[in-house]
Amino acid sequence: DARVTQTPRHKVTEMGQEVTMRCQPILGHNTVFWYRQTMMQGLELLAYFRNRAPLDDSGMPKDRFSAEMPDATLATLKIQPSEPRDSAVYFCASGLVLGSPDRNTEAFFGQGTRLTVV
Amino acid sequence: GNSVTQMEGPVTLSEEAFLTINCTYTATGYPSLFWYVQYPGEGLQLLLKATKADDKGSNKGFEATYRKETTSFHLEKGSVQVSDSAVYFCALSRSAGRRALTFGSGTRLQVQP
């Protein structure tokens, strides 16, 4: 059963510490998304990769957030330094986007990393 | 830019009642439309989708029809169950270029026995 795997599921950290969240996309998918979910803002797109190249990271605070795909099986989202306002659930999703509009498949979501910064 | 507007929740229904959750969108071109469902403590799961005007997506008794003339994609189910209690998100993605999903704010559904 193919699924997106995110680690850790829960993370509590002190303000100022570095946080790294990891995501293993579904094998064969060429697109990876990072979303943040909060009660106030809902689901916000942070970053978007296609074939491991960043296409859009305009939703990320550039001074503290960074997203990378070291290889096709791993995507990372780092926060350094972390702040209490970063507390949220961070979702990774992967999908397969092909050239034809009819083949625009859905995104498959991981279970998320619940981050609490105290 | 693209945006999705959903009806405010929570929506509280009795078991076997009819469900409608309204969703309207603003987008250029011809987006694909989706409904996702999120159960407590879980990630989002695709419920159904439609990729062009007048398409009807359906799954597990839920349906939604892509209405380009009204820019809507309302979710319906004829008879809800307690197990349908969850948060439902309407979303769109462009058919070309930037294809990241744009989500609505979500609508919480509570079904009472």
Side-chain angles (χ1 to χ4, degrees):
Chain A
D1 184 22
R3 62 180 65 189
V4 175
T5 304
Q6 289 187 248
T7 56
R9 289 293 311 278
H10 303 273
K11 177 71 175 179
V12 180
T13 191
E14 292 186 345
M15 183 172 61
Q17 296 298 305
E18 177 178 302
V19 175
T20 298
M21 290 168 273
R22 293 179 174 80
C23 168
Q24 180 177 349
I26 292 173
L27 188 65
H29 281 184
N30 62 357
T31 306
V32 171
F33 308 93
W34 283 103
Y35 284 90
R36 175 170 63 185
Q37 185 178 38
T38 62
M39 288 294 294
M40 294 301 296
Q41 301 297 326
L43 281 156
E44 304 172 277
L45 178 70
L46 297 177
Y48 168 28
F49 290 79
R50 177 82 54 80
N51 297 321
R52 295 176 55 202
L55 289 190
D56 186 350
D57 61 2
S58 58
M60 272 196 329
K62 297 292 190 302
D63 56 337
R64 298 184 300 109
F65 285 60
S66 63
E68 295 180 344
M69 282 199 74
D71 60 60
T73 65
L74 177 64
T76 62
L77 180 66
K78 291 186 180 180
I79 308 175
Q80 168 62 26
S82 57
E83 298 180 1
R85 59 180 168 150
D86 300 329
S87 298
V89 181
Y90 291 81
F91 287 106
C92 175
S94 71
L96 179 62
V97 175
L98 302 175
S100 164
D102 290 336
R103 302 299 301 278
N104 188 14
T105 67
E106 66 270 20
F108 293 80
F109 281 75
Q111 292 188 294
T113 295
R114 181 175 294 277
L115 174 65
T116 303
V117 183
V118 298
Chain B
N2 298 336
S3 67
V4 177
T5 302
Q6 288 182 238
M7 63 189 288
E8 292 282 332
V11 173
T12 303
L13 296 173
S14 298
E15 206 164 22
E16 300 184 3
F18 184 87
L19 168 71
T20 300
I21 300 178
N22 290 339
C23 170
T24 57
Y25 68 90
T26 301
T28 55
Y30 302 92
S32 295
L33 302 175
F34 305 84
W35 277 101
Y36 279 80
V37 59
Q38 185 178 30
Y39 299 100
E42 299 291 325
L44 280 72
Q45 303 173 23
L46 178 70
L47 182 59
L48 53 83
K49 68 177 181 180
T51 58
K52 58 184 184 295
D54 299 324
D55 267 2
K56 177 185 285 189
S58 61
N59 185 27
K60 299 180 181 178
F62 291 89
E63 294 184 340
T65 301
Y66 190 141
R67 301 287 189 198
K68 187 166 176 60
E69 64 275 14
T70 55
T71 62
S72 65
F73 193 55
H74 304 321
L75 182 68
E76 297 181 336
K77 187 175 185 182
S79 176
V80 294
Q81 306 299 312
V82 172
S83 58
D84 294 326
S85 299
V87 180
Y88 292 81
F89 292 89
C90 186
L92 68 81
S93 73
R94 292 173 51 185
S95 57
R98 185 178 185 275
R99 303 203 192 184
L101 289 162
T102 299
F103 286 93
S105 57
T107 302
R108 181 175 300 278
L109 171 65
Q110 298 173 336
V111 180
Q112 299 175 338

